[in-house]
Amino acid sequence: MTYKFGFIGAGNMGGALLTAAAENNPDIKISVFDVFQEKAVEYSQKYNNVDSVSLEKTVTESEYVFIGVKPQMAKELFSDIAPLFSSSNPVLISMLAGTSIERLCELSGKEMPVIRIMPNTPASIGEGVILYCSNDKVSQAQVDYFVKAMSGAGLLDKIDENKIDAASAVSGCGPAFCYMFIEALADGAVECGIPRDKAMMYAAKMLSGSADMVLQSGKHPGALKDAVCSPGGTTIAGVHALEDGAFRSAVMNAVTAAYKRTLELK
């Protein structure tokens, strides 16, 4: 094979994983195809180990093929690439939301080795979460190579396929919710007189540090919250205001709404 990894689609998510793969594995060759050729060319110009090639070459000359298109485009894409599987048998790595391994094999026209993943955009800076599962056509050695090669993208966590859609409603959709929270915190600070650039920096760094506290301390977030809330203090007043606005209910609703939409995409 000419290429270890091949990417079909270099949009936000595909591009994030392509960036992680290229930067953390400079010794492997990577191919990329996108219907908007300028996107693929941009990555080939940025990284010496990335080539912008045709769809056919990406599929037939790559050991692992990442599918990074929108779920609505899957049927059309597979009508083009399924015939190529008669002469090639790459490991398909699919990030198609709501698309099961069984369905991917149906679209392929044969029992393909498939690793199904649900990543998030922070993978592009090495701080992502990539959930994955695979079928029995993928060897343990192939799974191990994938995990090792993509480890620079962040946390890779194996999960049962029947749980991956629900989990991705948090890890995959969650960054958008966090960005909204950061923006809202910064808006509040600006209203209180803090310059916009400082307000944004304080909000983002605070959220990052708080997340690290949860992971490193092993404490329940409720306990960490209580530690910040002094009796009759400023923080508990703010917590009360959030509860008045149904903050936790709104966040829970966001996760469940994202999950329900994933199921609809099936």
Side-chain angles (χ1 to χ4, degrees):
M1 288 288 184
T2 304
Y3 303 101
K4 179 63 75 172
F5 288 158
F7 284 81
I8 300 175
N12 291 336
M13 199 63 263
L17 293 186
L18 173 55
T19 296
E23 291 186 351
N24 292 287
N25 302 277
D27 56 328
I28 69 171
K29 293 285 288 180
I30 299 172
S31 63
V32 57
F33 168 81
D34 195 280
V35 290
F36 299 101
Q37 189 178 9
E38 61 273 15
K39 285 186 179 181
V41 170
E42 180 182 340
Y43 283 101
S44 68
Q45 292 175 340
K46 185 175 182 180
Y47 298 110
N48 293 330
N49 58 334
V50 175
D51 291 340
S52 171
V53 301
S54 67
L55 177 62
E56 180 178 357
K57 195 168 185 178
T58 299
V59 173
T60 60
E61 297 190 22
S62 303
E63 290 184 37
Y64 296 77
V65 175
F66 287 73
I67 308 295
V69 301
K70 296 185 182 302
Q72 298 90 330
M73 299 170 60
K75 192 171 182 179
E76 180 180 354
L77 171 66
F78 275 86
S79 69
D80 292 332
I81 65 176
L84 303 175
F85 296 144
S86 61
S87 59
S88 65
N89 196 48
V91 176
L92 294 183
I93 302 178
S94 169
M95 60 191 89
L96 294 170
T99 307
S100 69
I101 291 175
E102 181 181 10
R103 177 58 177 158
L104 289 163
C105 289
E106 288 176 0
L107 290 169
S108 300
K110 61 185 286 191
E111 289 295 312
M112 298 286 293
V114 178
I115 300 175
R116 182 181 171 193
I117 66 174
M118 288 308 300
N120 63 10
T121 52
S124 65
I125 60 167
E127 295 293 339
V129 175
I130 301 176
L131 310 174
Y132 72 92
C133 57
S134 60
N135 63 3
D136 58 9
K137 300 297 181 182
V138 185
S139 71
Q140 190 58 51
Q142 289 172 320
V143 173
D144 290 345
Y145 182 84
F146 159 74
V147 171
K148 182 178 179 181
M150 297 304 298
S151 62
L155 170 69
L156 283 93
D157 192 60
K158 184 178 181 179
I159 189 170
D160 292 341
E161 187 174 19
N162 62 3
K163 298 290 193 300
I164 198 168
D165 291 327
S168 68
V170 177
S171 62
C173 305
F177 309 153
C178 288
Y179 301 145
M180 292 174 68
F181 184 44
I182 290 169
E183 183 182 29
L185 287 168
D187 283 346
V190 169
E191 186 176 13
C192 294
I194 304 300
R196 171 66 63 180
D197 58 342
K198 289 186 177 292
M200 201 72 73
M201 178 177 64
Y202 297 157
K205 185 61 179 174
M206 177 280 301
L207 192 62
S208 172
S210 299
D212 285 343
M213 277 284 286
V214 172
L215 294 173
Q216 294 181 27
S217 72
K219 295 181 179 179
H220 191 283
L224 293 172
K225 178 264 294 179
D226 289 348
V228 186
C229 295
S230 302
T234 57
T235 305
I236 193 63
V239 168
H240 191 171
L242 287 174
E243 294 291 8
D244 275 347
F247 175 72
R248 282 189 282 193
S249 178
V251 174
M252 291 171 68
N253 287 341
V255 174
T256 56
Y259 174 53
K260 289 176 181 177
R261 178 57 180 156
T262 300
L263 298 181
E264 290 172 0
L265 289 174
K266 292 184 178 183

